[in-house]
Amino acid sequence: MMAGCRDCRTCVMPGFTRLGQDWLVGFLHLMTCGISWVVKRGSMSHCPQCKHLRSRHQLRADGSYID
């Protein structure tokens, strides 16, 4: 089973870089008392496979996923 999308910039990011991003985003959510998490989850489109933001994926001209 695939762990992520091959065309997602977050899924193909090196492990150390992704760890730093996860810590930074977690700190942001903590400092805004969860408001940034609610806004991100409630108003932004996410990939059904990996749950990352749809804007982090390569898309075709019609808006469908490449993979």
Side-chain angles (χ1 to χ4, degrees):
M1 176 134 171
M2 189 189 315
C5 300
R6 69 170 188 228
D7 292 323
C8 174
R9 285 183 283 170
T10 304
C11 289
V12 299
M13 187 182 297
F16 187 71
T17 307
R18 191 161 175 193
L19 178 68
Q21 182 184 23
D22 289 345
W23 277 85
L24 184 63
V25 169
F27 181 73
L28 173 70
H29 293 326
L30 183 67
M31 291 295 102
T32 61
C33 301
I35 294 171
S36 60
W37 183 82
V38 170
V39 168
K40 180 182 179 287
R41 289 291 168 191
S43 66
M44 296 179 171
S45 179
H46 292 80
C47 172
Q49 183 178 355
C50 67
K51 306 296 186 231
H52 292 130
L53 289 175
R54 188 175 160 108
S55 63
R56 300 283 297 172
H57 290 73
Q58 293 179 357
L59 303 173
R60 291 186 183 107
D62 65 354
S64 63
Y65 292 107
I66 291 176
D67 51 19

